[in-house]
Amino acid sequence: MRWIQAGWLTAGVVEIRGFRRVRHVIEDIETLNRWLVEEGRDVDASAVSAHAYAYIVDRYFLLRTGASMGEGYGPVVVSRSESVRLEGSRIAVPGRYTTAGLILTIALRGRFTPVYARFDEIPAMVEEGRVDAGLLIHEEQIAYSRRGLTVVLNLWDWWARVTGGLPMPLGVDVFSRRLGRGAAEAFRDALRLSIEYAYQHFDEALDYAMRFSRVKDRELVARFIKMYVNERTMDMGEDGVEAHRTLYRLARESGVLDKAVELREDDIV
């Protein structure tokens, strides 16, 4: 294995049937997106944005386990002023292939200037006035008020209105088709056991997560984890699969995707 997302698989707590060793590589999500989409790196398994998966569906299975999905909440656009007009403005976006960036583009019909930046740099860019607004993901989406920023667009509100309340796809785990469906199923099952272990040993899991968090507030990180690591992470469900299909349909209709992405049952493990 080249890299994976779940730490317990590399900590020796959970084994993957058929694999003897796992190498765990930590990078921000947009770096992983670019590695797989733009550079075409041939890795065994990785976390990617749901948006990025549209470009690698022919090379990777989409795993039912390991997804991050919003329900009742999601990425937010913040600014220093409630009166900012988003159409025509400069908005910091955490990467070309992030799902949050895709949904924002669809919602605003592309009528803004994206300024791509690392997700953890965006709050300061907004605070210092280098951009008119910023799209926040990860822990920053619940930490923005500490900088005196205000929400001017909640993407969950838009998504729920347009889709009738489907869960919002954000991040997914993928597995190389090169290794076959059987290996993908073994990895998925181990990943599920990893998540179950983390549920049962939350303080231990939080200690592990804090090693990689840019936000050092333990209570805030725990809150964020509980938002996005839940039953949907164990299995996204049929409505979760439909949410991904809906995302790709909206992206195609808006012109972001050059061709339709037909997510078939054979694509999902």
Side-chain angles (χ1 to χ4, degrees):
M1 299 290 290
R2 301 277 184 83
W3 67 69
I4 59 173
Q5 180 185 28
W8 299 121
L9 300 183
T10 55
V13 175
V14 176
E15 295 183 355
I16 307 176
R17 175 170 38 90
F19 293 86
R20 291 189 301 173
R21 187 173 62 181
V22 172
R23 180 186 174 202
H24 191 192
V25 176
I26 303 293
E27 288 291 349
D28 70 280
I29 193 65
E30 184 64 4
T31 295
L32 298 179
N33 290 339
R34 292 199 309 271
W35 282 357
L36 270 64
V37 176
E38 293 183 351
E39 299 182 22
R41 295 198 187 189
D42 182 22
V43 304
D44 299 333
S46 182
V48 297
S49 296
H51 178 196
Y53 183 68
Y55 305 98
I56 60 172
V57 63
D58 60 327
R59 294 161 45 211
Y60 288 87
F61 292 114
L62 175 67
L63 300 186
R64 286 181 166 271
T65 298
S68 297
M69 307 191 79
E71 289 188 270
Y73 46 79
V76 294
V77 180
V78 299
S79 179
R80 294 186 298 175
S81 170
E82 294 181 357
S83 61
V84 65
R85 179 179 174 81
L86 293 181
E87 290 194 3
S89 66
R90 299 175 73 250
I91 303 177
V93 176
R96 185 180 304 275
Y97 299 107
T98 57
T99 314
L102 171 61
I103 295 174
L104 179 63
T105 299
I106 299 170
L108 295 183
R109 296 167 291 178
R111 297 177 180 175
F112 68 98
T113 301
V115 180
Y116 296 115
R118 279 181 59 98
F119 76 92
D120 52 347
E121 297 173 348
I122 291 177
M125 293 173 66
V126 179
E127 186 180 27
E128 296 165 9
R130 288 183 277 157
V131 290
D132 301 309
L135 175 59
L136 303 186
I137 61 173
H138 297 326
E139 297 98 326
E140 297 294 349
Q141 73 188 60
I142 58 175
Y144 61 86
S145 62
R146 299 180 177 190
R147 296 177 179 267
L149 304 177
T150 185
V151 172
V152 292
L153 175 61
N154 186 320
L155 288 185
W156 165 257
D157 293 341
W158 179 89
W159 174 264
R161 185 174 67 255
V162 169
T163 68
L166 285 173
M168 178 189 288
L170 293 168
V172 294
D173 283 350
V174 299
F175 193 90
S176 176
R177 294 180 186 268
R178 168 179 50 81
L179 297 176
R181 192 174 188 89
E185 291 172 349
F187 181 84
R188 177 204 62 203
D189 293 344
L191 184 58
R192 187 172 295 154
L193 288 174
S194 167
I195 298 166
E196 288 178 351
Y197 182 92
Y199 268 130
Q200 296 164 6
H201 303 83
F202 186 77
D203 286 340
E204 183 182 353
L206 182 57
D207 289 341
Y208 185 87
M210 288 299 297
R211 291 163 52 188
F212 308 106
S213 176
R214 274 78 168 181
V215 177
K216 297 307 178 184
D217 184 322
R218 186 179 177 87
E219 182 177 345
L220 186 144
V221 173
R223 176 186 164 197
F224 177 78
I225 290 173
K226 291 176 180 178
M227 288 170 63
Y228 287 103
V229 182
N230 49 43
E231 291 303 316
R232 293 280 181 195
T233 318
M234 301 291 288
D235 188 311
M236 69 173 68
E238 292 307 314
D239 54 346
V241 173
E242 183 59 30
H244 283 81
R245 292 190 175 117
T246 299
L247 174 69
Y248 301 137
R249 176 179 58 80
L250 292 173
R252 175 64 178 131
E253 292 173 353
S254 68
V256 177
L257 294 180
D258 293 334
K259 61 180 181 179
V261 176
E262 302 294 341
L263 194 58
R264 305 163 302 174
E265 287 301 318
D266 288 348
D267 298 323
I268 306 165
V269 172

